Amino acid sequence: MSADVTCAASGLSVPLLFALKLDVDDFQREWSRCNLLANYAGEYIAYQYTQRERAENLISTITNEFLEAVIAVAPSGTWLSLRYQQIAGDLSIEAEHDVSANIRTVYLNFLNALKREESRQHYFELLVAEEPAATKFNQLGLMMLMHDFNVQFITEFSAEGGRLKIQLLTQIEALIT
Amino acid sequence: MKLVQERYTLNYDPLEQQINFEGIFRPGGRDEVDVVVTYLTRVHDQVQGTLNLNFRRLRYMNATGMTALSRFVRYAQEQNVLRIRIIASGVLAWAECMLPNLCELWDKVEYIVHDRDFYRSQEIIENADFIPLLRNQTRILWPLEQSILTRHGLRNGMRVADICCGCGDVPLLISREMQPSFMLGVDHSGAAVEYARQLQRDFQIANAEFQRGDATALMLDDNSFDFVLCRLSLQIFSEPTAILAELIRIARPGGRIYVLCEDYDLIVGHPEDELIAHTYEQAAVFGDAMGMDLRSGKKLYRMLTEARLEAIQTDHIMVDTSNSDRQAMAAVIESWRSFSVDTIGDRLALSENEKAALAAGYNAQLRSIRSPYGYATWGLIACSGNKPRS
């Protein structure tokens, strides 16, 4: 699907690359679907970049890590909305999903605490952690997106609906050259 | 010693003291990481010196995969008996972003990008400025080579791969004129691959695809092509046998591997025979200094024989002033003169006298080509063989 949509922040029309509505259970039943979808997204979008292979490789890697994080915190029986857009030279990947109540606070706190200036120390702490974090979500993956891929996170949580919207902004062109 | 999982393989190569990671390494959890770490530590405990971890054919890795590597590095650090060398490919963007972090964990971890400066003339050959020379060569070579390809077994309906395809002229000509079921062109030069894709769009050729890749670590499946070409490329690499091994790997059993190299010993010209011969002798020597073997055509038969290919067949392709358009041939020689005298000459810091002596032979050859009574050749050797079925 390809269409223009209006960006809420700027009011400008931006091209929508594609949007999907996905059943969380499908991914939780078969984890490798994260890999499958990430590779599809990479190949689908990379055509617009000069160095297609490197762009595909990056988009797939970023998408996979993001999906692994989202699927781990989304409750069974819910759905995930995923949207790819180009916004002023950035690739925007936006996920909207429910968050399990038992993990909601710690997950949101973690996302809100993601700050670039502290990412190096935090990244290495997670990388060398002897045991995985007690709260099971993809902390290292999210931190890696910021530390290794310069991803910027924008989060918006609707307490009323219990749904979280996370937008990832990444400059693929800068990373591939 | 090999660890085979659904989407990735870790394979220990004792000759290189190297663990090759291949496929998609996105483990799903702690148990899978444990299996990988156990495998890595088992190899670790059996070797001395430096252990290479080769990621050049690993398409992707995730953060969980990084935790496995991090645990392994910490194990190696505790044992403190080995050095670890991480080998990545510049084609894979994830690797450049993620793998250098492992060097931060222990100072005995080294990170190298294999295909950065992996042949001496890389910067020149992979520059967009080189494309006109490639196109001029194809213009005079293709009319003679097309029938040679047929003689060597290229048929319509085949799955064909051209490795080191340059700017894509030959794969596109094969696509259009020889009707393969699928034609893949691979080159390491981003500029050449972009050029090839643009040509493909302009010509509206549907059954071809181009991708950037390292010819010594192709991201292609084993046994997946009927006919694999590598033209005018083995002579510029320092590791021609590593490329040949990849050509053989991706060819199906019974499939054909076709290589073509020029040979400066087959270049002659008349009437200024000696001047022309002297320049090509000199050019071959300067080529050696740049890591290029410009007399490699005659060595192909031996190379394919040593690789145990079967039903080996060779052919001379003699481009000359009687079978080719003189103007197009002159354009090739002008490109060579510029490449040899200016580009290589500057790179090797040749004196003005040396450059003038080199240019003299090219100029003599151009006079031969432009004179209706002159004669000049460009000699190449094509060699192909079948991949054994067992």
Side-chain angles (χ1 to χ4, degrees), chain B residues 28-81:
Chain B
R30 177 90 180 177
D31 293 346
E32 203 175 335
V33 168
D34 288 346
V35 170
V36 171
V37 175
T38 302
Y39 172 84
L40 294 172
T41 52
R42 210 166 67 224
V43 176
H44 172 282
D45 293 346
Q46 293 179 22
V47 300
Q48 295 173 327
T50 299
L51 177 64
N52 297 303
L53 304 184
N54 176 16
F55 294 90
R56 289 161 56 216
R57 292 196 61 226
L58 188 70
R59 190 172 286 274
Y60 308 108
M61 187 170 74
N62 66 357
T64 311
M66 273 298 280
T67 62
L69 298 178
S70 162
R71 277 176 54 189
F72 173 63
V73 168
R74 279 178 290 129
Y75 174 83
Q77 186 176 15
E78 284 161 17
Q79 306 305 308
N80 200 21
V81 289

Side-chain angles (χ1 to χ4, degrees), chain B residues 2-279:
Chain B
K2 197 169 183 175
L3 174 66
V4 181
Q5 299 286 52
E6 192 181 339
R7 280 176 291 140
Y8 60 89
T9 303
L10 275 60
N11 192 6
Y12 176 63
D13 173 2
L15 265 68
E16 302 290 342
Q17 198 155 289
Q18 175 166 292
I19 299 172
N20 296 312
F21 288 67
E22 295 182 9
I24 297 175
F25 183 43
R26 285 171 171 166
R30 177 90 180 177
D31 293 346
E32 203 175 335
V33 168
D34 288 346
V35 170
V36 171
V37 175
T38 302
Y39 172 84
L40 294 172
T41 52
R42 210 166 67 224
V43 176
H44 172 282
D45 293 346
Q46 293 179 22
V47 300
Q48 295 173 327
T50 299
L51 177 64
N52 297 303
L53 304 184
N54 176 16
F55 294 90
R56 289 161 56 216
R57 292 196 61 226
L58 188 70
R59 190 172 286 274
Y60 308 108
M61 187 170 74
N62 66 357
T64 311
M66 273 298 280
T67 62
L69 298 178
S70 162
R71 277 176 54 189
F72 173 63
V73 168
R74 279 178 290 129
Y75 174 83
Q77 186 176 15
E78 284 161 17
Q79 306 305 308
N80 200 21
V81 289
L82 292 185
R83 297 185 71 83
I84 308 290
R85 184 182 294 127
I86 309 277
I87 306 170
S89 162
V91 176
L92 298 167
W94 73 262
E96 289 184 345
C97 293
M98 292 163 66
L99 290 175
N101 291 317
L102 296 168
C103 300
E104 306 273 324
L105 302 181
W106 186 32
D107 61 5
K108 288 186 180 171
V109 178
E110 176 193 8
Y111 171 78
I112 60 168
V113 179
H114 176 265
D115 48 345
R116 189 178 290 154
D117 304 324
F118 78 135
Y119 59 96
R120 280 206 63 194
S121 54
Q122 181 174 8
E123 194 187 322
I124 304 167
I125 302 280
E126 296 188 5
N127 194 297
D129 294 343
F130 198 65
I131 290 173
L133 186 153
L134 296 177
R135 305 210 76 196
N136 283 336
Q137 289 184 160
T138 306
R139 202 162 277 126
I140 56 174
L141 193 49
W142 177 252
L144 302 175
E145 194 181 5
Q146 184 176 5
S147 60
I148 298 287
L149 285 168
T150 305
R151 267 174 52 77
H152 284 248
L154 180 53
R155 300 280 179 271
N156 62 17
M158 284 183 161
R159 277 178 61 83
V160 181
D162 184 357
I163 308 305
C164 308
C165 70
C167 61
D169 285 323
V170 168
L172 292 173
L173 286 163
I174 290 173
S175 280
R176 197 166 50 198
E177 298 180 18
M178 303 182 84
Q179 288 85 41
S181 62
F182 175 65
M183 177 77 234
L184 176 70
V186 179
D187 200 89
H188 191 265
S189 162
V193 169
E194 274 311 303
Y195 193 92
R197 286 175 177 152
Q198 184 58 50
L199 282 182
Q200 184 186 4
R201 282 192 289 273
D202 290 349
F203 300 164
Q204 297 186 350
I205 291 172
N207 65 334
E209 192 177 305
F210 292 94
Q211 59 175 248
R212 201 174 159 230
D214 171 356
T216 61
L218 294 163
M219 290 287 178
L220 299 171
D221 291 339
D222 296 356
N223 309 321
S224 53
F225 290 92
D226 301 303
F227 197 95
V228 181
L229 305 90
C230 184
R231 307 171 53 266
L232 297 173
S233 298
L234 290 182
Q235 71 263 32
I236 61 170
F237 290 98
S238 51
E239 304 173 69
T241 51
I243 296 178
L244 184 59
E246 281 294 89
L247 305 181
I248 295 169
R249 182 183 66 76
I250 64 169
R252 66 165 171 78
R256 195 93 184 149
I257 293 99
Y258 170 95
V259 288
L260 173 74
C261 281
E262 57 199 328
D263 196 316
Y264 275 16
D265 288 340
L266 300 176
I267 294 180
V268 297
H270 181 76
E272 299 175 77
D273 313 31
E274 284 184 16
L275 197 52
I276 294 168
H278 178 70
T279 277

Side-chain angles (χ1 to χ4, degrees), chain A residues 62-124:
Chain A
I62 291 168
T63 298
N64 181 73
E65 223 55 62
F66 189 33
L67 278 174
E68 288 191 6
V70 166
I71 296 300
V73 298
S76 174
T78 61
W79 52 271
L80 157 72
S81 151
L82 202 59
R83 193 152 77 160
Y84 287 76
Q85 286 171 265
Q86 285 288 3
I87 299 176
D90 285 353
L91 176 66
S92 158
I93 309 172
E94 188 182 279
E96 192 180 334
H97 61 95
D98 292 73
V99 185
S100 298
N102 61 340
I103 208 169
R104 189 175 293 163
T105 306
V106 67
Y107 183 59
L108 292 175
N109 286 344
F110 179 82
L111 288 172
N112 289 332
L114 281 176
K115 289 192 179 65
R116 195 176 304 278
E117 59 270 23
E118 295 164 9
S119 69
R120 181 182 157 76
Q121 186 191 345
H122 199 170
Y123 169 82
F124 281 104

